Amino acid sequence: MCRPYAKFSARPQAIELIPAVLQTAFRHATAGRPGAAYIDLPADYIQGSVAADLVPAVRPAAPAYAQADPAGIARAVELLRGAQSPLIIVGKGAAYARAEGAVRALVDKYQAPFLPTPMGKGVVADSHARNASSARSSALRDADVVLLLGARVNWILHFGRRFNAQAKIIQVDVHPEEIGTNVHVDVALPGHLPLVVEQLTAALPGAFAAAPEATAYVRGLREQAQANAAKQALKYREDAQPMTYHRAFFEIKQRLPADVVLVSEGANTMDIARTVFDFESPRRRLDCATFANMGVGMGFAVAAQLTYPKARVVAVVGDSAFGFSAMEIETAVRARLPLVVVVINNNGIYFGLDSEEYGVLEAQGRLPSTALLPDIRYELVAEACGARGVLVRTPRELAAATEQALAHDGVTLINCLIRPGGYQKLDFAWMSKRVAAGGFAPGVAMTIAASLVLPIPLLAAFNKYAVQYPLDRLHYAMFQVLLAVLVPVVAVLLRWPGSGYRLEFAHYTSPQQPPEARKEAEQSTAASHADGAHICADGAHRYAEQCAAIERAFMALAAGDDSKAGSSPWRLLTSQRQPYPISVEGHVDKPFCFRVVFYAPTLAGTAFDLLASILRRPEWDELTESTRIVESLAHRDAIHYVKMKPVWPTAARDSLLLSHLAAVQTADGSRGYLNVSRSIEDVRVPESGGGVVRMEAGIAGQLVTRVPPAEAQALALAGDRWCKVVQIADGDLKGWIPKSVIKFIATQALPRSLAKVCRQLAALPPSAESRLLQPPEEMLAPSETLGEMLAPPETPEIPPPAVLATPAAPQRYLARRPTAPRWKAWLRVLLRYAGPAVVAAVTSLVFQLIVGRRMGRSRTR
């Protein structure tokens, strides 16, 4: 059974032959490319015995090593000497062969950039000046000669598809059959990798260029690496709660010893960890390797700790990966191993759901197969096995837990809760593919034919059996529109073969950008990064000029200075005096531009800190579904993502905003606080599609000031703890928006949300100064709640992670929720995709019926 998966598989024919079979197994396992060997020992062999003189003497197996053909070495050296932009790819085969000395000598002499594969990291130190890991795509694309050292051209290297099509390939591998897999190889050098590399190093005259640092190739890779490193550093400092992958990994990375052995397993956990953790020594990193399998991480960790008894072994595994082999925790406890296991818990595979999303989708019967129960208590599983379990939610808790785990001499499991990321997409080519190149979607033809042909019998039936009067061309056109919308939906629901359609729910999946658009956007983003780090030494950033421009535009709108005729362009839509003074005005020339003025029962600093916190916006804005920080540009500026709830019959909407915070001087000379934003485009957050519309915000934000005495007296505001807020919302919602929806937002949704804000602010300690606009060294972590920020400064001691207070497990998810009836799901799809057309058609028909009957009655009289 094991023979197809092992280099050697056998069962000794007698007890006395066990040593000879073991010798053969070790020889097969270590010769050539290393691999597993399997020996089957029956129970009677294990419990049996044999006379010592019957056991033949055996000697340790000595592996045989071979050099490469000198002629092949000469051809390889010729290509390397003529290369203008060479690249050395160091695979895990170099680590297995213990070729670090030879490979480092080659890199130092030839001075070519090198790219390590994940398990090849450390063969040449990641801190080496020629490491091109941070510019991986550019290195593969621009290299004209690629030297593969023990690296398989498999999924880790994109099967060679990202190599320069004109590049010459030199492949060194101990396994001749591996050479030439997935790419054409110009020079094949089979042999023991350290010996072959020594041959190449001896034959090369020196560096590939007289001044490698001055070449455009090396200079370009260095600049790209610096730009990408700056972008990575911003992710390390992101303080959003729950934590992101990068922030969690950064906290762990800072505390690991230099000789740590890291086991990484999972989906995003493994992929992102490859870009975060660096290694100076070989054979210190283990992941899923060649076959991309899950469930091996815990076994790897136990084996690594036994192999390196004096080193610390840390396993950073995803929650789904941990589930495959979680009970190996018991093995580690039983073996008394000082193992550290960090479970990166995002409630799912790739992307999970938070508690609210999970409950809603489970009730609707739409739970994705990648979702796991929210906030599973893995640390309690470890405690049940005799290990030490810790639950962490914040960077401070993770930092303290990591330090204590490394100081502990037993098994510790850290359950690290991070951002589930339910809004993200699973971006695979097979999920986004619509129509084969050069083909014509059968569903498109079916839709066109149905919308042209079906209205004829439908109109005839209406004339004969229903309305009893002729329907005109307008109704024919309306039926065409209606059927053009309904036919694709019905095709999806009935799963008609070849329909060419697939329902997408934007919460999980979205179509890829066209390759041309994606490439252009990536080049644009790369160009903006190539100028240097995102944040300059003086605090400026690449959007600084835009932030200044939107600040000026907001102040003009807030004051009403955009009026051409001198009169105010604002018209009052609604107002109230109780319980809090609130007025909403609409712009006469813009359908969705509102100016809201309201008075909050607190001081300006407190109001501003709540309104300007993007992460707290869903708490008071009833139209906001979710928010997140995409990038922190400076301590006052950032890029935010906001998703709005759908208001029937319109679809949900989202926006990507450049947000700017500032302290400003008002007309009466007092100090005010400004929070303003405007839509931008960013390749990292493409339009999600699938029923979510990307809206454009022209100008949006709030200006918070103290209340002028005259206004306070006119409004009869009691006390001196009041502030005035001028809020502007100006943008293009995109798509079809009924006037009734706009009226609802302006006259009902906005006043309700702002009244809710005022109630929240009344319960908070008032402060005239904003904590959000303090210098970075004086600011508290953005993850802290507003109440904590406004409380007297006090630094509580961090309790030991082992005794951190943790909420009870979510028992309400253990009982299966009833699945929604299928007809309800169909109705939701119909209303989402065909709602506007259905409303228009039904309204028009009812109107025509009423008019037709009245005209008939008048003719009868």
Side-chain angles (χ1 to χ4, degrees):
M1 183 176 65
C2 295
R3 185 163 296 165
Y5 310 104
K7 292 187 66 178
F8 176 80
S9 178
R11 171 187 290 184
Q13 299 300 313
I15 296 178
E16 59 269 20
L17 296 179
I18 290 177
V21 173
L22 281 172
Q23 180 193 43
T24 305
F26 274 103
R27 180 165 51 83
H28 279 268
T30 57
R33 183 167 64 189
Y38 174 77
I39 299 176
D40 186 40
L41 297 178
D44 56 341
Y45 281 23
I46 297 174
Q47 298 177 351
S49 61
V50 68
D53 57 350
L54 296 179
V55 179
V58 296
R59 297 179 180 179
Y65 300 126
Q67 290 184 321
D69 182 5
I73 294 292
R75 291 195 301 272
V77 169
E78 182 180 357
L79 290 178
L80 293 171
R81 291 184 63 180
Q84 300 296 317
S85 51
L87 176 67
I88 301 173
I89 298 180
V90 183
K92 66 177 179 292
Y96 288 165
R98 300 183 179 272
E100 52 268 22
V103 175
R104 291 173 185 175
L106 172 64
V107 172
D108 290 339
K109 182 176 183 179
Y110 190 51
Q111 286 294 302
F114 71 91
L115 179 66
T117 62
M119 288 182 62
K121 294 172 73 71
V123 172
V124 182
D126 282 339
S127 59
H128 196 284
R130 288 292 180 266
N131 187 357
S133 294
S134 295
R136 175 188 176 101
S137 297
S138 299
L140 293 174
R141 182 189 64 238
D142 298 337
D144 60 357
V145 175
V146 177
L147 175 59
L148 295 166
L149 300 180
R152 290 180 173 180
V153 187
N154 54 16
W155 63 279
I156 293 177
L157 291 175
H158 316 287
F159 302 99
R161 295 168 187 168
R162 295 192 183 180
F163 288 10
N164 182 352
Q166 308 302 320
K168 302 295 184 182
I169 308 295
I170 305 169
Q171 187 168 8
V172 182
D173 203 285
V174 71
H175 195 58
E177 289 83 353
E178 185 64 35
I179 296 177
T181 300
N182 296 319
V183 293
H184 171 75
V185 171
D186 296 274
V187 179
L189 298 175
H192 186 50
L193 199 138
L195 299 180
V196 178
V197 172
E198 289 173 358
Q199 288 179 276
L200 290 172
T201 305
L204 285 169
F208 75 94
E213 284 286 346
T215 62
Y217 172 60
V218 173
R219 188 171 61 251
L221 291 181
R222 182 174 63 251
E223 293 173 354
Q224 183 66 47
Q226 291 172 351
N228 290 339
K231 182 167 63 175
Q232 190 90 327
L234 292 175
K235 297 178 181 179
Y236 294 157
R237 295 196 296 269
E238 187 173 353
D239 287 321
Q241 295 296 320
M243 286 184 288
T244 62
Y245 280 101
H246 288 87
R247 182 58 191 268
F249 290 160
F250 180 65
E251 295 296 333
I252 298 171
K253 174 184 177 180
Q254 288 182 297
R255 289 156 181 85
L256 295 182
D259 63 341
V260 68
V261 178
L262 182 73
V263 179
S264 178
E265 185 191 18
N268 286 338
T269 301
M270 181 180 66
D271 294 338
I272 297 175
R274 288 171 174 168
T275 68
V276 175
F277 295 96
D278 300 321
F279 295 87
E280 301 298 302
S281 303
R283 296 173 295 281
R284 295 281 170 167
R285 188 185 191 284
L286 291 167
D287 64 15
C288 70
T290 302
F291 299 110
N293 48 337
M294 293 176 66
V296 298
M298 291 303 302
F300 280 0
V302 170
Q305 190 66 79
L306 293 173
T307 304
Y308 296 93
K310 296 183 179 180
R312 294 313 305 260
V313 175
V314 177
V316 180
V317 298
D319 49 355
S320 56
F322 179 69
F324 282 97
S325 54
M327 292 312 297
E328 293 298 340
I329 285 288
E330 186 275 336
T331 305
V333 172
R334 179 161 32 90
R336 302 184 182 279
L337 301 177
L339 196 62
V340 178
V341 180
V342 183
V343 179
I344 303 298
N345 188 353
N346 72 334
N347 304 339
I349 304 173
Y350 282 104
F351 307 111
L353 306 171
D354 60 28
S355 299
E356 181 180 353
E357 294 168 327
Y358 188 96
V360 170
L361 293 174
E362 186 182 29
Q364 296 175 354
R366 294 199 294 123
L367 271 180
S369 59
T370 56
L372 302 176
L373 283 172
D375 304 338
I376 294 179
R377 301 294 299 275
Y378 295 108
E379 81 283 359
L380 299 182
V381 176
E383 291 178 0
C385 294
R388 183 170 170 270
V390 185
L391 176 69
V392 300
R393 290 186 173 88
T394 67
R396 287 196 303 174
E397 293 174 354
L398 177 58
T402 303
E403 292 175 356
Q404 295 184 16
L406 291 172
H408 183 53
D409 61 355
V411 180
T412 299
L413 185 144
I414 301 173
N415 185 10
C416 179
L417 303 183
I418 67 167
R419 180 186 300 168
Y423 52 83
Q424 299 282 354
K425 64 178 181 178
L426 292 179
D427 191 6
F428 301 108
W430 58 269
M431 292 184 69
S432 300
K433 185 176 181 180
R434 291 290 200 283
V435 183
F440 185 77
V444 176
M446 180 175 61
T447 301
I448 295 174
S451 63
L452 292 177
V453 176
L454 289 182
I456 298 175
L458 287 176
L459 289 175
F462 264 94
N463 281 329
K464 184 175 182 180
Y465 300 107
V467 297
Q468 299 295 323
Y469 72 92
L471 297 178
D472 55 21
R473 294 180 180 178
L474 173 62
H475 297 90
Y476 180 80
M478 290 170 50
F479 269 100
Q480 283 184 324
V481 174
L482 178 62
L483 290 169
V485 175
L486 287 180
V487 169
V489 176
V490 174
V492 171
L493 294 177
L494 298 182
R495 293 182 175 87
W496 288 351
S499 64
Y501 289 93
R502 175 176 60 84
L503 266 186
E504 287 187 338
F505 294 95
H507 210 63
Y508 309 106
T509 63
S510 62
Q512 290 181 328
Q513 292 176 295
E516 298 80 5
R518 185 168 63 251
K519 182 177 181 181
E520 180 181 352
E522 289 173 352
Q523 291 175 347
S524 174
T525 303
S528 68
H529 297 336
D531 296 333
H534 288 277
I535 302 177
C536 304
D538 60 356
H541 54 81
R542 64 185 187 279
Y543 290 114
E545 294 183 2
Q546 295 188 36
C547 289
I550 62 177
E551 178 178 329
R552 292 191 297 269
F554 181 93
M555 297 301 290
L557 273 178
D561 295 343
D562 59 341
S563 174
K564 298 179 181 179
S567 60
S568 174
W570 302 101
R571 297 293 180 265
L572 183 65
L573 300 178
T574 185
S575 65
Q576 66 179 46
R577 297 291 294 270
Q578 296 297 331
Y580 305 101
I582 299 173
S583 65
V584 181
E585 300 171 307
H587 199 284
V588 295
D589 298 324
K590 302 176 182 180
F592 198 84
C593 180
F594 306 115
R595 182 172 67 174
V596 185
V597 180
F598 68 98
Y599 299 83
T602 189
L603 298 182
T606 300
F608 178 77
D609 287 342
L610 175 62
L611 295 172
S613 175
I614 189 66
L615 298 178
R616 300 202 66 187
R617 179 169 171 173
E619 296 180 16
W620 57 267
D621 187 356
E622 65 178 31
L623 293 179
T624 299
E625 179 176 315
S626 61
T627 60
R628 65 185 174 99
I629 299 174
V630 177
E631 178 182 343
S632 297
L633 301 169
H635 78 281
R636 296 185 178 188
D637 304 329
I639 298 175
H640 296 155
Y641 173 82
V642 180
K643 184 178 180 183
M644 311 299 292
K645 299 175 182 177
V647 179
W648 193 89
T650 62
R653 278 162 167 75
D654 65 359
S655 59
L656 192 65
L657 302 173
L658 171 63
S659 178
H660 170 62
L661 308 182
V664 296
Q665 198 80 8
T666 61
D668 63 355
S670 63
R671 180 185 179 89
Y673 299 112
L674 174 65
N675 165 38
V676 62
S677 58
R678 170 180 284 172
S679 288
I680 62 170
E681 294 182 0
D682 194 300
V683 66
R684 294 168 294 178
V685 189
E687 294 189 31
S688 59
V692 179
V693 180
R694 174 61 55 88
M695 61 182 179
E696 294 183 5
I699 293 292
Q702 303 94 12
L703 174 64
V704 186
T705 62
R706 70 177 182 86
V707 182
E711 292 184 24
Q713 184 177 1
L715 295 170
L717 300 178
D720 57 355
R721 291 184 176 182
W722 288 85
C723 66
K724 178 181 179 181
V725 181
V726 179
Q727 179 168 317
I728 300 292
D730 176 24
D732 183 359
L733 293 185
K734 299 294 185 181
W736 177 73
I737 306 293
K739 291 184 178 180
S740 60
V741 172
I742 298 178
K743 183 178 179 181
F744 166 80
I745 293 174
T747 62
Q748 298 186 44
L750 276 176
R752 281 205 303 262
S753 294
L754 298 179
K756 184 177 180 181
V757 170
C758 291
R759 288 193 296 270
Q760 291 182 356
L761 292 174
L764 294 176
S767 173
E769 299 297 324
S770 167
R771 304 299 296 270
L772 291 180
L773 292 179
Q774 289 183 357
E777 61 273 10
E778 300 178 15
M779 291 180 63
L780 295 177
S783 59
E784 297 176 336
T785 64
L786 189 59
E788 292 171 340
M789 293 169 62
L790 297 175
E794 182 177 336
T795 305
E797 294 184 2
I798 304 175
V803 296
L804 286 175
T806 57
Q811 298 292 335
R812 60 195 180 99
Y813 297 120
L814 299 182
R816 179 65 182 174
R817 298 174 182 269
T819 302
R822 189 168 184 80
W823 67 268
K824 289 186 178 181
W826 288 18
L827 181 60
R828 282 195 301 269
V829 173
L830 180 66
L831 293 178
R832 169 178 286 187
Y833 290 92
V838 171
V839 172
V842 172
T843 303
S844 179
L845 286 175
V846 172
F847 176 77
Q848 292 290 347
L849 285 171
I850 295 174
V851 172
R853 288 182 178 179
R854 287 187 177 180
M855 292 180 62
R857 291 175 183 174
S858 64
R859 286 196 297 268
T860 302
R861 293 177 182 174

